[in-house]
Amino acid sequence: MAMAMSDSGASRLRRQLESGSFDARLYVKQLSQQSDGDRDLQEHRQRIQALAEETAQNLKRNVYQNYRQFIETAREISYLESEMYQLSHLLTEQKSSLETIPLTLLPAAAAAGAAAASGGEEGGGGAGSRDHRRGPAGLFPGPGGAPRDGAGPGEEGKQRTLTTLLEKVEGCRHLLETPGQYLVYNGDLVEYEADHMAQLQRVHGFLMNDCLLVATWLPQRRGMYRYNALYPLDGLAVVNVKDNPPMKDMFKLLMFPESRIFQAENAKIKREWLEVLEATKRALGEKRRREQEEAAAPRGLPPAAAKAANPFEEEEEEEEDEPAAPEVEEERVDLSMEWIQELPEDLDVCIAQRDFEGAVDLLDKLNRYLEGKPSPPPVKDLRAKVEERVRQLTEVLVFELSPGRSLRGGPKATRRAVSQLIRLGQGTKACELFLRNRAAAVHTAIRQLRIEGATLLYIHKLCHVFFTSLLETAREFETDFAGTDSGCYSAFVVWARSAMGMFVDAFSKQVFDSKESLSTAAECVQVAKEHCRQLGDIGLDLTFVVHALLVKDIQGALHSYKDIIIEATKHRNSEEMWRRMNLMTPEALGKLKEEMKGCGVSDFEQYTGDDCWVNLSYTVVAFTKQTMGFLEEALKLYFPELHMVLLESLVEVILVAVQHVDYSLRCEQDPEKKAFIRQNASFLYETVLPVVEKRFEEGVGKPAKQLQDLRNASRLIRVNPESTTSVV
């Protein structure tokens, strides 16, 4: 009974929560008013929580069931698509079989048709028979659809239709002079660019029985076109382009060495274009074969009649074989082997299945077989077919290396396509595409790197990502292009310099553009230099490239920090009272001694007095620490191009302090203060300047004459004794 009441209460609560007019605030208010105490609220809360868990479980169950149904539906769709493809393939084969009925049946069919026609004329129904026979032949000519002599009334009608249509096309009058030429099919198309699938222009295609005419649309003249190109059907290949929305209803025309992509108005018109093109090509091939047979037979007799009427056929064949012997010797290349006959189709299969190694192996096998052998027409035809497949294979391999492909596999992911391009003799293109792919990968890796709050942490990550990618790229490049032309290595060096420019841009934006301190900038540059030295393990030294790209930024940082020191020194000079320092505690005095020892002042003990006194001015001590810190950080950034910049900055900083001491010494009248100023001047000239000069020489590797002149001069600048202002 209690269970039933609980279920009914839960269902009532569910309906209440699911109602459209449910107000949570009002519901809680009413519940608080109606409850007897905390226990009721806790129980109600548990019921709502249980209801929420139950709803979540039901939702998960429904999602899982829908997901399973979705998978089953997708599987059924896949099965249906496969069956439809098989059905389409069977229909295509049946159509091909019907169109390739032996021509020996045509005379009998023609005789039967003539008898039926004569009978129909006697019965009064001949006109309808003739019209039905003439209509389809004009649009979709089969292998025997066109009259052999080309002089019938149907041929004249086709010629008139062609003349009428071509009068709308500018610049193609010469086409009308070809005898036996007639229009098969025509329609509007849109041409697209083959590489980037960008729309180029509107065109109109005119398919004749032996060629395809492409004319561009003239927008200012409605219904008129301008001649663009003419392609014989013998050298034309038609390829269906798979729909890839929004690019659909397209087909490709291959004319060695170029290709063009067209888009039909809809799928039906595209299918008609493909069917009519293939049917017209077959009809033209059959017509050419028939003309060759007629030309080989004796004049005046068909091939069968000539063979039957010649009783001395065997003797004549023997006599004709003798003078043809040299020609047979020239064309003795055997192309009857099964693997050669099936080579174009096998290449198509390998390309479709992405078996690039298998396709290149077949090409190598063919080249080895034909090496050193003559090139009669059959071999030339075979080579033409193979060259078209090679071009398609090259396009696929180029697409594999395009930057638009996935870049997560690293440099090794490109090895397969690169090696096959090299085997195809496209080493230069492989090198260019490989480096372009890696440049895109490096750029993507740098962009995906999250900018941290701490600059040094970000620079560590940036250097790790960039130099690791550069090192992997260099090793993969050496592996892939070991046996190629040395010019590829020059291309790699140029690429490495360009990639380093990309790295320095990101480096400078984070370090120098954000106005970091000189110590932080020095540490970041040290990290970059250390990673550059690691590239020396593979014989690649890019340190000079980093120097050349960073020189302006480092100059700006040095000048900026120099100005900061000068301003701080001037500010302290303006408040100088020339008093001894009292550090108050022994700990503070010990800390100052350690700092001065770190600055290179080892004999600082002689300047300390009793208790916690220091016999130097606060201004001079602060200047010493700041100048030595500036010198240490600047030496971390040093390279030869910065020599004069660093030296001039040091001289400017030291001049500010020395001029102030010199001026104070000339102007001070109190003997005690004057003695104290001399003691500070002695510290500057005899202790600080030698330490600066020594540390500069250690860091740079050669002495600086400007610093020696500063130390040796007793007075750097003569100041007018009557003046009361400091000259700096």
Side-chain angles (χ1 to χ4, degrees):
M1 185 68 177
M3 183 66 70
M5 292 179 64
S6 176
D7 292 342
S8 62
S11 61
R12 186 170 59 254
L13 177 61
R14 182 184 291 106
R15 287 195 301 271
Q16 187 176 2
L17 295 176
E18 290 177 351
S19 65
S21 59
F22 175 74
D23 186 358
R25 187 183 299 275
L26 180 61
Y27 176 76
V28 172
K29 182 178 180 181
Q30 293 176 355
L31 185 64
S32 302
Q33 294 174 354
Q34 297 173 3
S35 62
D36 295 336
D38 182 64
R39 180 183 295 274
D40 290 344
L41 292 177
Q42 292 289 344
E43 291 178 356
H44 201 81
R45 180 178 179 275
Q46 291 177 0
R47 287 198 298 270
I48 293 178
Q49 187 172 1
L51 185 61
E53 293 176 355
E54 181 183 355
T55 304
Q57 291 295 330
N58 291 334
L59 183 61
K60 291 181 181 179
R61 192 180 301 110
N62 291 334
V63 169
Y64 178 71
Q65 291 177 355
N66 292 336
Y67 184 66
R68 291 185 58 185
Q69 292 177 1
F70 175 76
I71 293 177
E72 293 175 358
T73 304
R75 188 180 295 114
E76 292 297 330
I77 291 174
S78 177
Y79 292 156
L80 180 61
E81 183 180 4
S82 177
E83 292 176 357
M84 292 297 294
Y85 178 77
Q86 293 177 1
L87 180 60
S88 175
H89 186 67
L90 290 174
L91 291 175
T92 303
E93 289 183 349
Q94 292 293 332
K95 180 181 177 183
S96 301
S97 300
L98 292 175
E99 291 177 347
T100 55
I101 294 176
L103 294 176
T104 54
L105 300 178
L106 292 178
S118 61
E121 288 174 357
E122 292 175 0
S129 254
R130 280 194 304 272
D131 291 342
H132 175 73
R133 181 176 46 131
R134 185 172 52 204
L139 283 178
F140 301 95
R148 294 192 180 188
D149 54 1
E155 193 73 24
E156 294 178 359
K158 297 172 187 176
Q159 184 69 28
R160 284 195 300 270
T161 303
L162 174 63
T163 304
T164 304
L165 287 176
L166 292 184
E167 286 177 353
K168 300 180 179 181
V169 182
E170 297 179 356
C172 64
R173 288 292 180 183
H174 61 283
L175 296 176
L176 304 179
E177 301 175 358
T178 305
Q181 192 176 61
Y182 58 88
L183 182 69
V184 177
Y185 192 80
N186 73 96
D188 288 328
L189 298 168
V190 179
E191 184 177 5
Y192 281 77
E193 203 266 331
D195 294 332
H196 306 290
M197 301 304 293
Q199 183 173 334
L200 293 179
Q201 57 186 346
R202 289 178 56 185
V203 300
H204 195 91
F206 297 91
L207 176 63
M208 270 73 78
N209 58 324
D210 59 349
C211 62
L212 173 67
L213 171 66
V214 179
T216 56
W217 181 64
L218 296 176
Q220 68 275 16
R221 300 175 62 186
R222 186 177 180 86
M224 295 297 293
Y225 307 93
R226 178 180 290 113
Y227 171 79
N228 180 262
L230 182 69
Y231 302 108
L233 293 183
D234 295 341
L236 188 68
V238 187
V239 178
N240 181 23
V241 177
K242 185 177 179 181
D243 289 348
N244 185 17
M247 301 302 175
K248 59 181 182 178
D249 305 328
M250 293 183 172
F251 60 92
K252 181 185 290 188
L253 298 181
L254 304 176
M255 305 76 62
F256 183 80
E258 62 175 316
S259 63
R260 300 177 72 171
I261 294 181
F262 299 100
Q263 183 183 45
E265 184 177 354
N266 51 48
K268 179 182 177 182
I269 296 178
K270 169 189 171 180
R271 185 167 59 253
E272 289 180 358
W273 269 106
L274 295 176
E275 292 175 354
V276 174
L277 280 167
E278 291 297 332
T280 308
K281 286 184 62 178
R282 284 196 298 269
L284 180 62
E286 185 63 28
K287 178 181 177 182
R288 298 280 170 82
R289 187 186 63 80
R290 195 165 54 245
E291 290 176 353
Q292 291 177 359
E293 291 179 356
E294 292 177 355
R299 182 172 300 178
L301 290 175
K307 185 174 180 180
N310 190 359
F312 305 103
E313 179 182 296
E314 295 181 359
E315 298 175 1
E316 290 180 357
E317 287 180 356
E318 293 177 358
E319 293 176 0
E320 290 173 1
D321 286 341
E322 292 180 1
E327 185 178 355
V328 173
E329 285 295 326
E330 291 180 0
E331 302 180 359
R332 63 180 182 276
V333 181
D334 184 13
L335 300 179
S336 62
M337 288 175 285
E338 183 178 359
W339 70 271
I340 294 182
Q341 296 293 327
E342 297 179 355
L343 182 64
E345 290 75 13
D346 290 342
L347 288 174
D348 290 336
V349 171
C350 289
I351 295 173
Q353 295 179 349
R354 299 172 59 80
D355 183 12
F356 306 137
E357 294 83 358
V360 179
D361 290 341
L362 288 174
L363 293 172
D364 289 344
K365 184 178 180 181
L366 177 66
N367 291 332
R368 287 194 302 268
Y369 179 76
L370 296 179
E371 185 177 4
K373 295 182 180 180
S375 298
V379 175
K380 293 181 179 178
D381 294 342
L382 177 62
R383 287 189 182 276
K385 295 179 181 178
V386 170
E387 285 297 327
E388 178 57 33
R389 271 70 178 185
V390 170
R391 192 185 62 79
Q392 295 177 8
L393 176 60
T394 303
E395 289 181 354
V396 174
L397 293 174
V398 168
F399 177 72
E400 287 294 313
L401 292 174
S402 62
R405 299 285 288 171
S406 177
L407 303 172
R408 296 182 180 179
K412 293 183 180 179
T414 62
R415 182 180 299 176
R416 186 183 180 206
V418 168
S419 60
Q420 302 313 313
L421 277 176
I422 293 175
R423 291 179 62 188
L424 290 173
Q426 301 284 341
T428 303
K429 180 179 289 186
C431 175
E432 177 186 356
L433 294 171
F434 172 79
L435 295 178
R436 189 184 302 170
N437 179 279
R438 296 312 306 152
V442 172
H443 180 66
T444 302
I446 292 177
R447 288 186 59 187
Q448 291 178 350
L449 192 62
R450 191 176 68 178
I451 298 179
E452 302 287 349
T455 300
L456 187 59
L457 178 60
Y458 172 80
I459 293 302
H460 273 287
K461 291 184 177 181
L462 175 64
C463 290
H464 175 74
V465 168
F466 174 75
F467 286 100
T468 300
S469 299
L470 193 62
L471 189 61
E472 291 177 353
T473 302
R475 288 173 177 167
E476 185 64 26
F477 186 89
E478 189 174 7
T479 301
D480 293 345
F481 297 92
T484 59
D485 185 11
S486 59
C488 292
Y489 289 91
S490 301
F492 175 78
V493 173
V494 173
W495 173 86
R497 180 182 177 87
S498 175
M500 187 62 72
M502 190 190 313
F503 163 77
V504 170
D505 287 342
F507 183 94
S508 298
K509 286 179 182 178
Q510 189 66 19
V511 176
F512 296 106
D513 293 354
S514 59
K515 304 299 181 183
E516 291 290 339
S517 64
L518 190 65
S519 59
T520 302
E523 291 183 18
C524 294
V525 173
Q526 284 291 99
V527 172
K529 286 183 178 180
E530 182 61 31
H531 280 83
C532 279
R533 281 191 286 269
Q534 294 177 4
L535 294 177
D537 298 340
I538 60 172
L540 185 63
D541 186 7
L542 295 177
T543 307
F544 70 98
V545 179
V546 175
H547 289 171
L549 295 174
L550 286 177
V551 62
K552 290 185 179 179
D553 291 325
I554 296 178
Q555 284 180 0
L558 290 176
H559 285 304
S560 176
Y561 199 70
K562 175 203 69 175
D563 294 338
I564 292 174
I565 295 177
I566 291 176
E567 289 299 323
T569 304
K570 287 182 178 180
H571 179 71
R572 288 192 297 268
N573 291 344
S574 65
E575 299 177 352
E576 179 62 76
M577 302 297 294
W578 293 113
R579 296 176 181 175
R580 294 192 302 164
M581 292 178 63
N582 185 5
L583 298 179
M584 308 301 290
T585 62
E587 291 79 7
L589 180 60
K591 182 179 178 182
L592 178 60
K593 291 179 181 180
E594 290 296 327
E595 290 177 350
M596 298 305 290
K597 186 177 180 180
C599 292
V601 182
S602 58
D603 55 347
F604 189 70
E605 292 285 347
Q606 62 177 330
Y607 296 101
T608 58
D610 299 333
D611 296 332
C612 300
W613 290 90
V614 177
N615 297 324
L616 290 173
S617 169
Y618 167 76
T619 302
V620 174
V621 173
F623 169 78
T624 302
K625 292 193 294 183
Q626 201 168 19
T627 302
M628 293 306 300
F630 171 68
L631 178 58
E632 289 296 330
E633 301 302 335
L635 288 176
K636 294 179 182 178
L637 298 169
Y638 177 82
F639 47 87
E641 289 81 358
L642 295 172
H643 182 82
M644 291 307 300
V645 176
L646 175 57
L647 189 57
E648 291 172 358
S649 299
L650 273 176
V651 170
E652 287 186 41
V653 169
I654 294 172
L655 275 174
V656 174
V658 171
Q659 288 173 358
H660 175 67
V661 172
D662 181 76
Y663 175 77
S664 300
L665 190 61
R666 295 292 303 274
C667 296
E668 185 60 51
Q669 302 298 327
D670 188 354
E672 293 183 2
K673 285 189 177 182
K674 201 163 189 177
F676 182 67
I677 295 173
R678 286 198 184 97
Q679 189 175 3
N680 283 272
S682 175
F683 175 74
L684 281 176
Y685 283 108
E686 299 175 4
T687 302
V688 177
L689 291 184
V691 170
V692 171
E693 182 181 347
K694 179 181 178 182
R695 185 68 189 95
F696 185 87
E697 185 175 353
E698 290 175 353
V700 173
K702 58 182 178 180
K705 186 176 182 301
Q706 291 88 337
L707 294 178
Q708 292 176 358
D709 294 341
L710 277 176
R711 182 168 57 87
N712 295 331
S714 59
R715 298 278 180 89
L716 299 180
I717 297 180
R718 296 290 180 178
V719 181
N720 184 1
E722 298 178 357
S723 175
T724 58
T725 58
S726 177
V727 179
V728 272

